[in-house]
Amino acid sequence: MTETVKTGLLFAAAALLIVLDGTVSFGIFSGSWNSSLTILNMGLISAIMALGVNLQWGFAGLFNVGIMGFTALGGLAVVLTAMPVTEGAWSAGGFRIVGGLIFGAATIVAAVLAYTKLSAGRARSFTVLAILVVGFFVYRGIFDPGVAAVEEINPALQGNIGGLGLPVLLAWPVGGLIAAGAAWLIGKTALGLRSDYLAIATLGIAEIILAVLKNEDWLSRGVKNVVGLPRPLPYEVDLQKDADFIAGAASWGLDVTTASSLYVKTGYALMFAAVLIVLLVMAQLALKSPWGRMMRAIRDNEVAAEAMGKNVTQRHLQIFILGSAICGIAGAMMTTLDSQLTPGTYNPLRFTFLIWVMVIVGGSGNNFGAVLGGLLVWFFWIKVEPMGQLLMELVTSGMADGSALKAHLLGSAAHMRLFMMGLVLLLMLRFSPRGLIPEK
Amino acid sequence: MDFLNALVALANFVLIPGITYGSQLALGALGVTLIYGILRFSNFAHGDTMAFGTMVTILVTWGFQAMGISAGPLPTALLALPFGILATMALVLLTDKAVYGFYRHQKAKPVVLVMVSLGVMFMMNGLVRFIIGPGDQRFADGERFIMKARAFKQMTGLREGLAIKTSQGITVITAIIVVAALFWFLNKTRTGKSMRAYSDNEDLALLSGINPDRVVMYTWLIVAALATIAGTLYGLDKSFKPFTYFQLLLPIFAAAIVGGLGNPLGAIAGGFVIALSEVTVTYAWKKVLNYTMPDGLEPSGLAQLMSTDYKFAVSFTILVIVLLFKPTGIFKGKAV
């Protein structure tokens, strides 16, 4: 069996799972297109994230465990781009906040400049410290009143500065840009460290980004969530009132409610698939280009590549930014799909480590592998729960009804998820470390 | 008088919680640093190892409570602790046999082992959630306070009270005992010395006839004990929740790296540096400043540098600063 046939078969299997879930109502399959398309949509987004991680890990060997942070930044981009401007927020305190942030950034730049320009010694330490301490208090002095003013505006619904009111699709590239900017900052400081230091650094950054989203209510309304984000597709309720749509649904033999929700979900699936294909083509071209070969050469032997005149740190920075930008785009797409930003739901196990499972299972270093891993692992992530339920029912079938153990086992079946994912990851690493579709 | 009041307030809100948290982090970081020094990888499953040990301790505690066994004024969990340690030892030895051993014999790259530890992390996390559920568990019993704020006020006549919780006292005392025992073991016993030799230079240690399997086994046993003790102390002091333990990974790693990965002394210092700075930066200084500043200059706000939710940011900033200026940590750690 050639590689191409095998790849084709694996993708066909993934497609078959989605179709089965839509048509067959047996065992783990729900038999509802609605749920099957929901899985497909998140699967496509996961595939894009996996593509981004594969770029960093598969091409360049960078161990980034801060994916959650970049995803969350993508989500923030949707709020900042697509939400309407909160009335009066800018005049009340918006400019003050921006001024405060600029001043804060200037303080850090000044401290860095002082550190690099002055000669080492006690004088330098004191200057840098003085710049930072004074800068911090001035920054808080400018920043805090602005925040208080913005958060006072209609706190039940708004209390944030809102966005720019631009079309929501624009938020996807913006999400990529914001994530890329953050990646540049992080890469500048953390790349060049050893691999596990980079991992810990990115893990920390992701937590910080999330802390900012959860606490800076003026920006993202924190844990109060931003709901009702604009959508690129019509609302189901509007479709259900549309005469043409009702007629169309009838001709397909569907009731209007199901048809409207299928219509929207299929629309999202097509949009996500388009983005995925564009990114996949670009990643494939990059992989095959001299640039891609250089990246793999650096990954395989940094010392040799450096000796050949390649600027390893610079190339690492480049690919770190690219991969993170892809994760940012995916994050923006996900928030668009949910049409709400809920900073409280971001969890590193789900948004960072699960993506890693996808890349490893699919095959690191192979773009098709990453995409396949994204689709398959997401399907199983959703389906492990009914599987666990079935398993537990089987295990407990012999037990007396009403026994505490039986109730506990049945009630805890949902937590099998993490366990199973860990098991899959370990089995793959042990028996097929190159993944389902290995690197060529 | 004002100065004394300020000092007491500082001790009550910053020093005592900081030192307690620091001891817990130090014990956690010791585990991470030992694995790094001897098995040569960053163990992402450490937080969940702590959670597993604590979970077993909690279950045994509940069993004891149901049987009516208690430790008097001390929390029952202390009696249950040895069982938690034993169960965790069994679990990590099993994991090593089933998972890590294979890669060690292959001499796999450290990053592969880190990835493997991610898988172990997932499985342990799932296991803990499966057995005890994802919710909050409180299992502290016995006397709640060694010193109550009101008693302190009556005793000294100061306006500020000083409260010391039993869990805080136990944490510090246990940490001191455990650290002393660990250093005695590493420096004085034959096995401890062979562990240090193995950590310093693997090949040389093998040449001198040190049995690597034995070294690895002892390391896991010690790590299991440290993790369970750290986890139980943290749970007694705050509360037990699987996800919180997973999140402890970040300050623990920060502590281990700040101190110098692979260096036990550094892990302890790192733990206190991280804990005290987290508490200091997120503490509202209003009270202390009210006592110390001259009249009229008292702060109007809370005088809090950062909100408590940014405590991860604090440990992380320290981590970055140390990595940029002294990549091997305060005490010279390994830099592979």
mmCIF file of all heavy atoms in Angstrom, chain A residues 234-264:
data_model
loop_
_atom_site.group_PDB
_atom_site.id
_atom_site.type_symbol
_atom_site.label_atom_id
_atom_site.label_comp_id
_atom_site.label_asym_id
_atom_site.label_seq_id
_atom_site.Cartn_x
_atom_site.Cartn_y
_atom_site.Cartn_z
ATOM 1 N N PRO A 234 -26.500 34.021 8.775
ATOM 2 C CA PRO A 234 -27.757 34.485 9.361
ATOM 3 C C PRO A 234 -28.129 33.683 10.596
ATOM 4 O O PRO A 234 -27.666 32.554 10.783
ATOM 5 C CB PRO A 234 -28.772 34.245 8.241
ATOM 6 C CG PRO A 234 -28.135 33.280 7.330
ATOM 7 C CD PRO A 234 -26.674 33.508 7.414
ATOM 8 N N TYR A 235 -28.957 34.276 11.435
ATOM 9 C CA TYR A 235 -29.437 33.580 12.623
ATOM 10 C C TYR A 235 -30.519 32.579 12.257
ATOM 11 O O TYR A 235 -31.290 32.811 11.329
ATOM 12 C CB TYR A 235 -29.984 34.581 13.634
ATOM 13 C CG TYR A 235 -28.894 35.253 14.408
ATOM 14 C CD1 TYR A 235 -28.337 36.442 13.970
ATOM 15 C CD2 TYR A 235 -28.405 34.684 15.582
ATOM 16 C CE1 TYR A 235 -27.317 37.050 14.669
ATOM 17 C CE2 TYR A 235 -27.391 35.284 16.288
ATOM 18 C CZ TYR A 235 -26.852 36.466 15.829
ATOM 19 O OH TYR A 235 -25.842 37.059 16.518
ATOM 20 N N GLU A 236 -30.589 31.485 13.020
ATOM 21 C CA GLU A 236 -31.581 30.442 12.732
ATOM 22 C C GLU A 236 -32.994 31.008 12.785
ATOM 23 O O GLU A 236 -33.830 30.702 11.944
ATOM 24 C CB GLU A 236 -31.448 29.284 13.734
ATOM 25 C CG GLU A 236 -30.273 28.358 13.487
ATOM 26 C CD GLU A 236 -29.022 28.818 14.206
ATOM 27 O OE1 GLU A 236 -28.971 29.991 14.604
ATOM 28 O OE2 GLU A 236 -28.096 28.006 14.356
ATOM 29 N N VAL A 237 -33.247 31.862 13.797
ATOM 30 C CA VAL A 237 -34.613 32.396 13.933
ATOM 31 C C VAL A 237 -35.023 33.195 12.707
ATOM 32 O O VAL A 237 -36.175 33.169 12.283
ATOM 33 C CB VAL A 237 -34.749 33.287 15.190
ATOM 34 C CG1 VAL A 237 -35.312 32.489 16.324
ATOM 35 C CG2 VAL A 237 -33.454 33.949 15.545
ATOM 36 N N ASP A 238 -34.046 33.934 12.125
ATOM 37 C CA ASP A 238 -34.386 34.719 10.936
ATOM 38 C C ASP A 238 -34.688 33.803 9.755
ATOM 39 O O ASP A 238 -35.605 34.054 8.971
ATOM 40 C CB ASP A 238 -33.243 35.656 10.578
ATOM 41 C CG ASP A 238 -33.019 36.668 11.688
ATOM 42 O OD1 ASP A 238 -34.002 36.954 12.408
ATOM 43 O OD2 ASP A 238 -31.882 37.149 11.852
ATOM 44 N N LEU A 239 -33.880 32.719 9.658
ATOM 45 C CA LEU A 239 -34.102 31.777 8.562
ATOM 46 C C LEU A 239 -35.495 31.165 8.654
ATOM 47 O O LEU A 239 -36.178 30.978 7.654
ATOM 48 C CB LEU A 239 -33.060 30.661 8.602
ATOM 49 C CG LEU A 239 -31.674 31.000 8.085
ATOM 50 C CD1 LEU A 239 -30.748 29.813 8.292
ATOM 51 C CD2 LEU A 239 -31.731 31.362 6.622
ATOM 52 N N GLN A 240 -35.877 30.860 9.902
ATOM 53 C CA GLN A 240 -37.164 30.184 10.072
ATOM 54 C C GLN A 240 -38.339 31.065 9.666
ATOM 55 O O GLN A 240 -39.440 30.579 9.457
ATOM 56 C CB GLN A 240 -37.327 29.748 11.537
ATOM 57 C CG GLN A 240 -36.457 28.554 11.873
ATOM 58 C CD GLN A 240 -36.178 28.431 13.353
ATOM 59 O OE1 GLN A 240 -36.896 29.001 14.172
ATOM 60 N NE2 GLN A 240 -35.147 27.692 13.704
ATOM 61 N N LYS A 241 -38.098 32.397 9.563
ATOM 62 C CA LYS A 241 -39.183 33.294 9.161
ATOM 63 C C LYS A 241 -39.149 33.552 7.661
ATOM 64 O O LYS A 241 -40.086 34.106 7.094
ATOM 65 C CB LYS A 241 -39.039 34.628 9.909
ATOM 66 C CG LYS A 241 -39.430 34.513 11.375
ATOM 67 C CD LYS A 241 -39.308 35.867 12.047
ATOM 68 C CE LYS A 241 -39.100 35.722 13.538
ATOM 69 N NZ LYS A 241 -38.140 36.699 14.044
ATOM 70 N N ASP A 242 -38.041 33.164 7.036
ATOM 71 C CA ASP A 242 -37.848 33.476 5.622
ATOM 72 C C ASP A 242 -38.662 32.520 4.746
ATOM 73 O O ASP A 242 -38.514 31.300 4.836
ATOM 74 C CB ASP A 242 -36.347 33.339 5.305
ATOM 75 C CG ASP A 242 -36.048 33.745 3.891
ATOM 76 O OD1 ASP A 242 -36.924 34.376 3.280
ATOM 77 O OD2 ASP A 242 -34.949 33.415 3.400
ATOM 78 N N ALA A 243 -39.538 33.077 3.887
ATOM 79 C CA ALA A 243 -40.453 32.252 3.094
ATOM 80 C C ALA A 243 -39.684 31.324 2.152
ATOM 81 O O ALA A 243 -39.976 30.122 2.059
ATOM 82 C CB ALA A 243 -41.405 33.142 2.303
ATOM 83 N N ASP A 244 -38.661 31.867 1.479
ATOM 84 C CA ASP A 244 -37.886 31.049 0.544
ATOM 85 C C ASP A 244 -37.260 29.865 1.264
ATOM 86 O O ASP A 244 -37.252 28.740 0.769
ATOM 87 C CB ASP A 244 -36.769 31.890 -0.093
ATOM 88 C CG ASP A 244 -37.328 32.898 -1.057
ATOM 89 O OD1 ASP A 244 -38.503 32.728 -1.443
ATOM 90 O OD2 ASP A 244 -36.603 33.850 -1.416
ATOM 91 N N PHE A 245 -36.731 30.162 2.454
ATOM 92 C CA PHE A 245 -36.047 29.098 3.190
ATOM 93 C C PHE A 245 -37.023 28.007 3.609
ATOM 94 O O PHE A 245 -36.713 26.822 3.510
ATOM 95 C CB PHE A 245 -35.348 29.683 4.419
ATOM 96 C CG PHE A 245 -34.513 28.670 5.136
ATOM 97 C CD1 PHE A 245 -33.258 28.340 4.654
ATOM 98 C CD2 PHE A 245 -34.986 28.008 6.253
ATOM 99 C CE1 PHE A 245 -32.497 27.395 5.285
ATOM 100 C CE2 PHE A 245 -34.233 27.053 6.892
ATOM 101 C CZ PHE A 245 -32.972 26.747 6.401
ATOM 102 N N ILE A 246 -38.203 28.420 4.031
ATOM 103 C CA ILE A 246 -39.206 27.437 4.457
ATOM 104 C C ILE A 246 -39.569 26.522 3.282
ATOM 105 O O ILE A 246 -39.621 25.294 3.424
ATOM 106 C CB ILE A 246 -40.468 28.151 5.002
ATOM 107 C CG1 ILE A 246 -40.100 28.939 6.260
ATOM 108 C CG2 ILE A 246 -41.582 27.155 5.307
ATOM 109 C CD1 ILE A 246 -41.194 29.822 6.783
ATOM 110 N N ALA A 247 -39.729 27.149 2.120
ATOM 111 C CA ALA A 247 -40.051 26.360 0.928
ATOM 112 C C ALA A 247 -38.917 25.391 0.608
ATOM 113 O O ALA A 247 -39.137 24.208 0.317
ATOM 114 C CB ALA A 247 -40.312 27.294 -0.248
ATOM 115 N N GLY A 248 -37.679 25.909 0.688
ATOM 116 C CA GLY A 248 -36.511 25.070 0.409
ATOM 117 C C GLY A 248 -36.439 23.892 1.352
ATOM 118 O O GLY A 248 -36.199 22.749 0.942
ATOM 119 N N ALA A 249 -36.664 24.154 2.645
ATOM 120 C CA ALA A 249 -36.608 23.091 3.642
ATOM 121 C C ALA A 249 -37.663 22.029 3.346
ATOM 122 O O ALA A 249 -37.398 20.830 3.451
ATOM 123 C CB ALA A 249 -36.813 23.673 5.037
ATOM 124 N N ALA A 250 -38.817 22.500 2.953
ATOM 125 C CA ALA A 250 -39.898 21.564 2.673
ATOM 126 C C ALA A 250 -39.530 20.654 1.501
ATOM 127 O O ALA A 250 -39.789 19.449 1.524
ATOM 128 C CB ALA A 250 -41.186 22.319 2.377
ATOM 129 N N SER A 251 -38.876 21.238 0.484
ATOM 130 C CA SER A 251 -38.522 20.434 -0.679
ATOM 131 C C SER A 251 -37.491 19.359 -0.317
ATOM 132 O O SER A 251 -37.403 18.330 -0.960
ATOM 133 C CB SER A 251 -38.002 21.323 -1.806
ATOM 134 O OG SER A 251 -36.734 21.810 -1.454
ATOM 135 N N TRP A 252 -36.695 19.609 0.741
ATOM 136 C CA TRP A 252 -35.743 18.593 1.204
ATOM 137 C C TRP A 252 -36.400 17.610 2.163
ATOM 138 O O TRP A 252 -35.757 16.659 2.612
ATOM 139 C CB TRP A 252 -34.570 19.262 1.916
ATOM 140 C CG TRP A 252 -33.549 19.827 0.985
ATOM 141 C CD1 TRP A 252 -33.679 20.920 0.189
ATOM 142 C CD2 TRP A 252 -32.242 19.315 0.751
ATOM 143 N NE1 TRP A 252 -32.533 21.132 -0.529
ATOM 144 C CE2 TRP A 252 -31.624 20.155 -0.199
ATOM 145 C CE3 TRP A 252 -31.518 18.220 1.256
ATOM 146 C CZ2 TRP A 252 -30.333 19.939 -0.669
ATOM 147 C CZ3 TRP A 252 -30.229 18.026 0.802
ATOM 148 C CH2 TRP A 252 -29.653 18.868 -0.167
ATOM 149 N N GLY A 253 -37.626 17.921 2.524
ATOM 150 C CA GLY A 253 -38.332 17.054 3.455
ATOM 151 C C GLY A 253 -37.877 17.210 4.902
ATOM 152 O O GLY A 253 -37.908 16.261 5.668
ATOM 153 N N LEU A 254 -37.383 18.427 5.261
ATOM 154 C CA LEU A 254 -36.913 18.656 6.632
ATOM 155 C C LEU A 254 -37.842 19.647 7.325
ATOM 156 O O LEU A 254 -38.452 20.487 6.664
ATOM 157 C CB LEU A 254 -35.507 19.255 6.612
ATOM 158 C CG LEU A 254 -34.385 18.380 6.096
ATOM 159 C CD1 LEU A 254 -33.164 19.220 5.827
ATOM 160 C CD2 LEU A 254 -34.056 17.297 7.111
ATOM 161 N N ASP A 255 -37.944 19.517 8.655
ATOM 162 C CA ASP A 255 -38.704 20.565 9.316
ATOM 163 C C ASP A 255 -37.820 21.796 9.453
ATOM 164 O O ASP A 255 -36.584 21.718 9.426
ATOM 165 C CB ASP A 255 -39.243 20.093 10.677
ATOM 166 C CG ASP A 255 -38.156 19.953 11.682
ATOM 167 O OD1 ASP A 255 -37.435 18.919 11.596
ATOM 168 O OD2 ASP A 255 -37.981 20.834 12.523
ATOM 169 N N VAL A 256 -38.442 22.969 9.570
ATOM 170 C CA VAL A 256 -37.717 24.225 9.420
ATOM 171 C C VAL A 256 -36.637 24.421 10.481
ATOM 172 O O VAL A 256 -35.537 24.890 10.194
ATOM 173 C CB VAL A 256 -38.719 25.400 9.451
ATOM 174 C CG1 VAL A 256 -37.996 26.700 9.220
ATOM 175 C CG2 VAL A 256 -39.772 25.193 8.386
ATOM 176 N N THR A 257 -36.936 23.997 11.716
ATOM 177 C CA THR A 257 -35.965 24.220 12.795
ATOM 178 C C THR A 257 -34.674 23.452 12.509
ATOM 179 O O THR A 257 -33.574 24.017 12.568
ATOM 180 C CB THR A 257 -36.556 23.735 14.134
ATOM 181 O OG1 THR A 257 -37.960 23.953 14.112
ATOM 182 C CG2 THR A 257 -35.922 24.437 15.282
ATOM 183 N N THR A 258 -34.809 22.175 12.189
ATOM 184 C CA THR A 258 -33.624 21.375 11.884
ATOM 185 C C THR A 258 -32.902 21.952 10.679
ATOM 186 O O THR A 258 -31.668 22.099 10.689
ATOM 187 C CB THR A 258 -34.030 19.918 11.562
ATOM 188 O OG1 THR A 258 -35.100 19.547 12.404
ATOM 189 C CG2 THR A 258 -32.866 18.986 11.722
ATOM 190 N N ALA A 259 -33.678 22.281 9.658
ATOM 191 C CA ALA A 259 -33.059 22.772 8.425
ATOM 192 C C ALA A 259 -32.255 24.038 8.691
ATOM 193 O O ALA A 259 -31.128 24.183 8.201
ATOM 194 C CB ALA A 259 -34.129 23.038 7.383
ATOM 195 N N SER A 260 -32.800 24.947 9.491
ATOM 196 C CA SER A 260 -32.080 26.208 9.728
ATOM 197 C C SER A 260 -30.777 25.939 10.450
ATOM 198 O O SER A 260 -29.733 26.513 10.129
ATOM 199 C CB SER A 260 -32.957 27.160 10.527
ATOM 200 O OG SER A 260 -33.255 26.601 11.783
ATOM 201 N N SER A 261 -30.813 25.039 11.429
ATOM 202 C CA SER A 261 -29.579 24.800 12.181
ATOM 203 C C SER A 261 -28.569 24.044 11.317
ATOM 204 O O SER A 261 -27.361 24.315 11.372
ATOM 205 C CB SER A 261 -29.924 24.096 13.494
ATOM 206 O OG SER A 261 -29.270 22.887 13.586
ATOM 207 N N LEU A 262 -29.063 23.126 10.468
ATOM 208 C CA LEU A 262 -28.144 22.427 9.564
ATOM 209 C C LEU A 262 -27.521 23.406 8.575
ATOM 210 O O LEU A 262 -26.326 23.348 8.274
ATOM 211 C CB LEU A 262 -28.880 21.329 8.794
ATOM 212 C CG LEU A 262 -29.255 20.083 9.588
ATOM 213 C CD1 LEU A 262 -29.846 19.050 8.654
ATOM 214 C CD2 LEU A 262 -28.040 19.515 10.293
ATOM 215 N N TYR A 263 -28.354 24.343 8.095
ATOM 216 C CA TYR A 263 -27.884 25.327 7.118
ATOM 217 C C TYR A 263 -26.717 26.132 7.700
ATOM 218 O O TYR A 263 -25.656 26.269 7.085
ATOM 219 C CB TYR A 263 -29.044 26.251 6.749
ATOM 220 C CG TYR A 263 -28.684 27.375 5.822
ATOM 221 C CD1 TYR A 263 -28.647 27.182 4.448
ATOM 222 C CD2 TYR A 263 -28.387 28.640 6.333
ATOM 223 C CE1 TYR A 263 -28.317 28.220 3.596
ATOM 224 C CE2 TYR A 263 -28.044 29.681 5.491
ATOM 225 C CZ TYR A 263 -28.029 29.469 4.122
ATOM 226 O OH TYR A 263 -27.694 30.492 3.286
ATOM 227 N N VAL A 264 -26.923 26.629 8.918
ATOM 228 C CA VAL A 264 -25.882 27.447 9.548
ATOM 229 C C VAL A 264 -24.625 26.617 9.776
ATOM 230 O O VAL A 264 -23.500 27.041 9.475
ATOM 231 C CB VAL A 264 -26.404 28.033 10.872
ATOM 232 C CG1 VAL A 264 -25.276 28.703 11.634
ATOM 233 C CG2 VAL A 264 -27.521 29.022 10.595
#
